[in-house]
Structure formats: structure tokens, C-alpha cells
Coordinates of all heavy atoms in Angstrom, one line a residue:
A1 N -5.9 7.5 0.1 CA -4.8 7.7 1.1 C -4.4 9.2 1.0 O -4.4 9.8 -0.1 CB -3.6 6.8 0.7
T2 N -4.1 9.8 2.1 CA -3.8 11.2 2.2 C -2.4 11.4 1.5 O -1.5 10.7 1.7 CB -3.8 11.6 3.7 OG1 -5.0 11.2 4.3 CG2 -3.7 13.2 3.7
D3 N -2.4 12.5 0.8 CA -1.2 12.9 0.0 C 0.1 12.9 0.9 O 1.2 12.5 0.4 CB -1.4 14.2 -0.7 CG -0.2 14.6 -1.5 OD1 0.0 14.1 -2.6 OD2 0.6 15.5 -1.0
K4 N 0.0 13.4 2.1 CA 1.3 13.6 2.9 C 2.0 12.3 3.1 O 3.3 12.3 3.2 CB 1.0 14.2 4.2 CG 0.0 13.6 5.1 CD -0.5 14.5 6.3 CE -1.6 13.9 7.1 NZ -1.2 12.9 8.0
Y5 N 1.4 11.1 3.2 CA 2.1 9.9 3.3 C 2.8 9.5 2.0 O 3.9 9.0 2.0 CB 1.1 8.8 3.7 CG 0.3 9.0 5.0 CD1 -1.0 9.5 5.0 CD2 1.0 8.8 6.2 CE1 -1.6 9.7 6.2 CE2 0.3 9.0 7.4 CZ -1.0 9.4 7.4 OH -1.6 9.7 8.6
L6 N 2.0 9.7 0.9 CA 2.6 9.3 -0.4 C 3.8 10.2 -0.7 O 4.8 9.7 -1.3 CB 1.5 9.4 -1.5 CG 0.2 8.6 -1.2 CD1 -0.8 8.9 -2.3 CD2 0.5 7.2 -1.0
T7 N 3.6 11.5 -0.4 CA 4.7 12.4 -0.7 C 6.0 12.1 0.1 O 7.1 12.2 -0.4 CB 4.2 13.9 -0.5 OG1 3.1 14.2 -1.3 CG2 5.4 14.9 -0.7
A8 N 5.8 11.8 1.3 CA 6.9 11.5 2.2 C 7.7 10.3 1.6 O 8.9 10.3 1.5 CB 6.5 11.2 3.6
L9 N 7.0 9.2 1.2 CA 7.6 8.0 0.7 C 8.4 8.4 -0.6 O 9.5 8.0 -0.8 CB 6.6 6.9 0.4 CG 5.9 6.3 1.6 CD1 4.8 5.4 1.2 CD2 7.0 5.6 2.5
R10 N 7.7 9.2 -1.5 CA 8.3 9.6 -2.7 C 9.6 10.4 -2.5 O 10.6 10.2 -3.2 CB 7.4 10.4 -3.5 CG 7.9 10.9 -4.9 CD 7.1 12.1 -5.4 NE 7.3 13.3 -4.5 CZ 6.6 14.4 -4.6 NH1 5.7 14.6 -5.5 NH2 6.8 15.4 -3.7
D11 N 9.6 11.3 -1.5 CA 10.7 12.1 -1.2 C 11.9 11.4 -0.6 O 13.0 11.9 -0.6 CB 10.3 13.3 -0.3 CG 9.4 14.3 -1.0 OD1 9.3 14.2 -2.2 OD2 8.9 15.1 -0.3
Y12 N 11.7 10.1 -0.2 CA 12.8 9.3 0.3 C 13.2 8.2 -0.7 O 13.7 7.2 -0.3 CB 12.4 8.7 1.7 CG 12.6 9.8 2.8 CD1 11.6 10.7 3.1 CD2 13.8 9.9 3.5 CE1 11.7 11.6 4.1 CE2 13.9 10.8 4.5 CZ 12.9 11.7 4.8 OH 13.1 12.7 5.7
G13 N 12.8 8.4 -1.9 CA 13.2 7.5 -3.0 C 12.4 6.3 -3.1 O 12.8 5.3 -3.8
L14 N 11.2 6.2 -2.6 CA 10.3 5.1 -2.7 C 9.2 5.3 -3.6 O 8.8 6.5 -3.9 CB 9.8 4.7 -1.3 CG 10.9 4.5 -0.2 CD1 10.2 4.4 1.2 CD2 11.7 3.2 -0.5
A15 N 8.6 4.3 -4.1 CA 7.4 4.4 -5.0 C 6.2 3.9 -4.3 O 6.0 2.7 -4.2 CB 7.7 3.6 -6.3
P16 N 5.3 4.8 -3.9 CA 4.1 4.3 -3.2 C 3.0 3.9 -4.1 O 2.8 4.4 -5.2 CB 3.7 5.6 -2.4 CG 4.1 6.7 -3.3 CD 5.4 6.3 -3.9
V17 N 2.3 2.8 -3.7 CA 1.1 2.4 -4.4 C 0.0 2.1 -3.4 O 0.2 1.5 -2.4 CB 1.4 1.1 -5.2 CG1 2.0 0.0 -4.3 CG2 0.2 0.6 -6.0
V18 N -1.2 2.7 -3.7 CA -2.3 2.6 -2.7 C -3.0 1.2 -2.9 O -3.4 0.8 -4.0 CB -3.3 3.7 -3.0 CG1 -4.5 3.6 -2.0 CG2 -2.6 5.1 -2.8
L19 N -3.2 0.5 -1.7 CA -3.8 -0.8 -1.7 C -5.3 -0.6 -1.3 O -5.6 -0.1 -0.2 CB -3.1 -1.7 -0.7 CG -1.6 -1.8 -0.8 CD1 -1.0 -2.8 0.2 CD2 -1.2 -2.4 -2.2
P20 N -6.2 -1.1 -2.1 CA -7.6 -1.0 -1.8 C -8.0 -1.9 -0.6 O -7.3 -2.8 -0.3 CB -8.3 -1.4 -3.1 CG -7.4 -2.3 -3.7 CD -6.0 -1.8 -3.4
V21 N -9.1 -1.5 0.0 CA -9.6 -2.3 1.2 C -11.0 -2.8 1.0 O -11.9 -2.0 0.7 CB -9.4 -1.5 2.5 CG1 -8.0 -1.3 2.9 CG2 -10.1 -0.2 2.5
W22 N -11.2 -4.1 1.1 CA -12.6 -4.6 1.1 C -12.7 -5.6 2.3 O -11.7 -6.4 2.5 CB -12.8 -5.4 -0.2 CG -12.9 -4.6 -1.4 CD1 -14.0 -3.9 -1.8 CD2 -11.9 -4.5 -2.5 NE1 -13.7 -3.3 -3.0 CE2 -12.5 -3.7 -3.5 CE3 -10.7 -5.1 -2.6 CZ2 -11.8 -3.3 -4.6 CZ3 -10.0 -4.8 -3.8 CH2 -10.5 -3.9 -4.8
E23 N -13.8 -5.5 3.0 CA -13.9 -6.3 4.2 C -13.8 -7.8 3.9 O -13.3 -8.6 4.7 CB -15.2 -6.0 4.9 CG -15.3 -6.6 6.3 CD -16.4 -6.0 7.1 OE1 -17.2 -5.1 6.6 OE2 -16.5 -6.3 8.3
E24 N -14.3 -8.2 2.7 CA -14.3 -9.6 2.3 C -13.0 -10.0 1.5 O -13.0 -11.1 0.9 CB -15.5 -9.9 1.4 CG -15.5 -9.3 0.0 CD -16.0 -7.9 0.0 OE1 -16.2 -7.3 1.1 OE2 -16.2 -7.4 -1.1
A25 N -12.0 -9.1 1.5 CA -10.7 -9.4 0.7 C -10.2 -10.8 1.2 O -10.1 -11.0 2.4 CB -9.7 -8.3 1.0
D26 N -9.8 -11.6 0.2 CA -9.3 -13.0 0.6 C -7.8 -13.0 0.6 O -7.1 -12.0 0.3 CB -9.9 -14.0 -0.3 CG -9.5 -13.8 -1.8 OD1 -8.5 -13.1 -2.0 OD2 -10.2 -14.3 -2.7
V27 N -7.3 -14.1 1.1 CA -5.8 -14.2 1.3 C -5.1 -14.1 0.0 O -4.0 -13.6 -0.1 CB -5.5 -15.6 2.0 CG1 -4.0 -15.8 2.1 CG2 -6.1 -15.6 3.4
S28 N -5.7 -14.6 -1.1 CA -5.0 -14.6 -2.4 C -4.7 -13.2 -2.8 O -3.6 -12.9 -3.5 CB -5.8 -15.3 -3.4 OG -7.0 -14.7 -3.7
L29 N -5.6 -12.2 -2.5 CA -5.3 -10.8 -2.9 C -4.1 -10.3 -2.1 O -3.3 -9.6 -2.7 CB -6.6 -10.0 -2.6 CG -6.5 -8.5 -3.0 CD1 -6.3 -8.3 -4.4 CD2 -7.8 -7.8 -2.5
I30 N -4.1 -10.5 -0.8 CA -3.0 -10.0 0.0 C -1.7 -10.6 -0.4 O -0.7 -10.0 -0.5 CB -3.3 -10.3 1.5 CG1 -4.5 -9.4 2.0 CG2 -2.1 -10.1 2.4 CD1 -5.0 -9.7 3.4
T31 N -1.7 -11.9 -0.7 CA -0.5 -12.6 -1.2 C 0.0 -12.0 -2.5 O 1.2 -11.8 -2.7 CB -0.8 -14.1 -1.3 OG1 -1.2 -14.7 -0.1 CG2 0.5 -14.8 -1.8
A32 N -0.9 -11.7 -3.4 CA -0.5 -11.1 -4.7 C 0.2 -9.8 -4.5 O 1.2 -9.5 -5.1 CB -1.7 -10.9 -5.6
W33 N -0.3 -9.0 -3.5 CA 0.3 -7.7 -3.2 C 1.8 -7.9 -2.7 O 2.7 -7.3 -3.2 CB -0.4 -6.9 -2.2 CG -1.8 -6.4 -2.6 CD1 -2.2 -6.1 -3.9 CD2 -2.8 -6.0 -1.7 NE1 -3.4 -5.6 -3.8 CE2 -3.9 -5.5 -2.5 CE3 -3.1 -6.1 -0.4 CZ2 -5.1 -5.1 -2.0 CZ3 -4.3 -5.6 0.2 CH2 -5.3 -5.1 -0.7
L34 N 1.9 -8.8 -1.7 CA 3.2 -8.9 -1.0 C 4.2 -9.5 -1.9 O 5.4 -9.3 -1.7 CB 3.0 -9.8 0.3 CG 2.0 -9.2 1.3 CD1 2.0 -10.0 2.6 CD2 2.3 -7.7 1.6
E35 N 3.8 -10.3 -2.9 CA 4.8 -10.9 -3.8 C 5.5 -9.8 -4.6 O 6.6 -10.0 -5.2 CB 4.2 -11.9 -4.7 CG 3.8 -13.2 -4.0 CD 3.1 -14.2 -4.9 OE1 2.7 -13.8 -6.0 OE2 3.0 -15.3 -4.5
R36 N 4.9 -8.6 -4.7 CA 5.4 -7.5 -5.6 C 5.9 -6.3 -4.8 O 6.5 -5.4 -5.4 CB 4.3 -7.1 -6.5 CG 3.8 -8.2 -7.5 CD 2.5 -7.8 -8.2 NE 2.1 -8.7 -9.2 CZ 1.6 -9.9 -9.0 NH1 1.4 -10.4 -7.8 NH2 1.3 -10.7 -10.1
L37 N 5.7 -6.3 -3.5 CA 6.1 -5.1 -2.7 C 7.4 -5.3 -2.1 O 7.9 -6.4 -1.8 CB 5.0 -4.9 -1.6 CG 3.6 -4.5 -2.1 CD1 2.7 -4.3 -0.9 CD2 3.6 -3.2 -3.0
D38 N 8.0 -4.1 -1.8 CA 9.3 -4.1 -1.1 C 9.1 -3.5 0.3 O 10.1 -3.4 1.1 CB 10.3 -3.2 -1.9 CG 10.5 -3.8 -3.3 OD1 10.9 -5.0 -3.4 OD2 10.4 -3.0 -4.2
G39 N 7.9 -3.1 0.7 CA 7.6 -2.6 2.0 C 6.2 -2.3 2.1 O 5.4 -2.3 1.1
L40 N 5.7 -2.0 3.3 CA 4.3 -1.7 3.6 C 4.2 -0.6 4.6 O 5.0 -0.5 5.6 CB 3.6 -2.9 4.2 CG 2.1 -2.6 4.6 CD1 1.2 -2.5 3.3 CD2 1.6 -3.8 5.4
M41 N 3.3 0.4 4.3 CA 3.0 1.4 5.3 C 1.5 1.4 5.7 O 0.7 1.3 4.8 CB 3.3 2.8 4.8 CG 2.8 4.0 5.7 SD 3.0 5.6 4.9 CE 4.7 5.9 5.3
L42 N 1.2 1.4 7.0 CA -0.1 1.6 7.5 C -0.2 3.0 8.0 O 0.5 3.4 8.9 CB -0.4 0.6 8.6 CG -0.4 -0.9 8.2 CD1 -0.7 -1.7 9.4 CD2 -1.3 -1.2 7.1
T43 N -1.1 3.8 7.4 CA -1.2 5.2 7.7 C -2.1 5.5 8.9 O -2.8 4.6 9.4 CB -1.8 5.9 6.5 OG1 -3.2 5.5 6.3 CG2 -1.1 5.6 5.2
G44 N -2.2 6.8 9.2 CA -3.2 7.3 10.2 C -4.5 7.5 9.4 O -4.6 7.3 8.2

């Protein structure tokens, strides 16, 4: 993920964490992320 997205989130008091992408990623992986997250950003 490009630094400018992560820096912007950090500067507004948020803690960014980069989510890996695999074409075969299953629902259980996505569910595990969302149970721990407080928000989601989709970048350019």
C-alpha cells in the first residue's frame, strides 16, 4: 500500500493495517479481519 494513504490515516488518529490480497481468499479470512477492524479503506 502506498505510504500516503497510511500516513493520512495515522495523522487523523487512526492505526492503519495493510490487508493482503489473494484471488482465492475465502470468506473466513475476510470475516477474521472484520471482527478486529474499526474501519476499512480501499485505496487508489
Side-chain angles (χ1 to χ4, degrees):
T2 309
D3 180 77
K4 56 193 171 79
Y5 299 103
L6 308 179
T7 299
L9 293 173
R10 180 201 65 188
D11 289 350
Y12 282 84
L14 304 171
V17 57
V18 179
L19 307 179
V21 291
W22 292 283
E23 194 165 2
E24 70 279 7
D26 60 24
V27 175
S28 64
L29 180 63
I30 290 174
T31 301
W33 289 337
L34 299 186
E35 287 177 349
R36 294 164 173 81
L37 296 178
D38 301 307
L40 176 73
M41 172 188 279
L42 298 182
T43 69

